[in-house]
Amino acid sequence: MVAFVGTFAAAIGLPVPAMPTLILVGSGLATAHSPLLILSTFIGALAGAFAGDAAWFLTGRRFGYRVLDGLCRISLSPDTCVRRASGFFEKRGVKLLLIARFVPGLSLVAIPIAGAGDTRFSRFTFYDLLGAALWIAVGLVVGLVFYRQIDAVLSLLRQFGIGLAALAVVGLLVWIGFRFVRRQLLIMSFRRARISVDELVLLLATDPGALIVDVRSAASRRTDPYVIPGSHLFDFASADAALATLPRNSSVVVYCSCPNEASAAKVAERLVKLGFSNVHPLTGGLDAWRAAGRDVQAIVATT
């Protein structure tokens, strides 16, 4: 039951230390000497993991990439989580689920992407169960093999439990605070350089050489396959090659569809470091452009 609840809670996105829980359960099984109990615990953990994953897969199938927008908004790195997971999934497909659990946060985003795409449920089930089984086996085996060392750690925790727990909580809060402050500082650093829709229209009229760069994730582009006319599609997977082709002396306007223009600010920072001196994130991104009544252009698929 502990294994089932732990893996299920982790699969649906709750902040539960699932791998430490599996290791702890495995250490308890070492002294039970019951193959049947080990097998039933493994099956229970696998059932919990798949139940949570199936819920996210079906949610992605029902609501499409809008689910990713919600995940993006609660992330400490808005749009970054979706963008990276989308890039991984584009390259490896549903086979990504074999290793997704070993990368924190990846499976929580990759599974809705699989559901929102054309992945068959049977194919998802095969790779998800295989990946979950591998991940669970690692946790339980570590506990079974190193149960003596784990008992020593537990004794230490019983002796200094409150202090260590407080230290862990403080460390977690510091990490969350650092990520949040860094994101806000990045956005604030480009706040003065942001450009409005009207200012962009004026810039395009007075500077025909100005570049407009769409930095949305592949998932966002599939959901909304339109861009500001003349936009360059920026792909983070081939970022260095794409950036090398842009003239350094041009005005560059970057936009996304994420909260607070987080991805646009990240790309703007990267461009400045590479020598671009006139970089402006577009306030409100594509949504603001469309809300102002400006025309958009359909993305032309390339083969």
Side-chain angles (χ1 to χ4, degrees):
M1 288 303 299
V2 171
F4 174 86
V5 172
T7 55
F8 176 77
I12 63 175
L14 296 179
V16 174
M19 180 56 77
T21 300
L22 288 173
I23 293 174
L24 185 61
V25 169
S27 69
L29 292 172
T31 56
H33 304 294
S34 172
L36 181 61
L37 182 58
I38 294 175
L39 178 61
S40 61
T41 301
F42 175 83
I43 294 174
L46 187 61
F50 180 73
D53 290 350
W56 274 119
F57 180 88
L58 296 174
T59 301
R61 180 61 52 87
R62 173 66 178 83
F63 297 102
Y65 291 100
R66 286 177 292 172
V67 176
L68 303 180
D69 292 336
L71 291 173
C72 173
R73 290 179 183 275
I74 63 175
S75 169
L76 288 174
S77 300
D79 197 55
T80 302
C81 58
V82 176
R83 187 182 64 240
R84 288 177 178 173
S86 298
F88 288 144
F89 199 85
E90 289 290 330
K91 289 182 179 180
R92 297 169 179 83
V94 73
K95 294 180 181 179
L96 178 66
L97 299 181
L98 293 174
I99 60 160
R101 274 188 169 80
F102 293 95
V103 182
L106 180 57
S107 64
L108 185 62
V109 181
I111 290 172
I113 291 176
D118 57 356
T119 304
R120 297 191 307 272
F121 186 76
S122 59
R123 185 172 172 81
F124 155 76
T125 299
F126 174 78
Y127 284 105
D128 186 70
L129 285 175
L130 196 58
L134 177 62
W135 178 72
I136 293 166
V138 168
L140 294 180
V141 168
V142 169
L144 287 166
V145 173
F146 297 102
Y147 72 95
R148 290 188 177 88
Q149 291 82 353
I150 293 171
D151 286 342
V153 172
L154 291 176
S155 298
L156 182 65
L157 288 175
R158 281 193 291 268
Q159 186 176 357
F160 304 101
I162 296 177
L164 291 175
L167 183 62
V169 170
V170 169
L172 178 62
L173 292 176
V174 169
W175 177 77
I176 292 174
F178 171 75
R179 293 293 299 272
F180 179 78
V181 170
R182 187 175 69 169
R183 187 186 76 187
Q184 295 303 315
L185 289 176
L186 174 63
I187 295 172
M188 289 174 60
S189 66
F190 286 96
R191 185 159 291 166
R192 292 182 180 178
R194 287 191 301 181
I195 189 172
S196 67
V197 171
D198 292 338
E199 289 170 330
L200 175 56
V201 173
L202 180 61
L203 176 65
L204 294 176
T206 57
D207 184 3
L211 299 171
I212 311 174
V213 183
D214 183 311
V215 299
R216 293 176 298 160
S217 65
S220 295
R221 289 177 188 151
R222 281 195 294 269
T223 303
D224 185 7
Y226 295 92
V227 297
I228 295 174
S231 295
H232 296 261
L233 301 183
F234 187 91
D235 181 8
F236 274 80
S238 57
D240 293 337
L243 291 173
T245 63
L246 300 178
R248 298 296 194 270
N249 58 348
S250 298
S251 297
V252 182
V253 177
V254 293
Y255 70 89
C256 63
S257 59
C258 53
N260 299 318
E261 299 90 42
S263 286
K266 286 180 179 292
V267 175
E269 180 188 41
R270 195 166 181 176
L271 289 169
V272 169
K273 289 180 178 179
L274 289 173
F276 294 87
S277 58
N278 196 9
V279 182
H280 306 280
L282 176 63
T283 302
L286 182 61
D287 291 339
W289 177 269
R290 186 181 279 118
R294 301 293 175 178
D295 292 334
V296 293
Q297 175 182 332
I299 297 176
V300 178
T302 57
T303 57

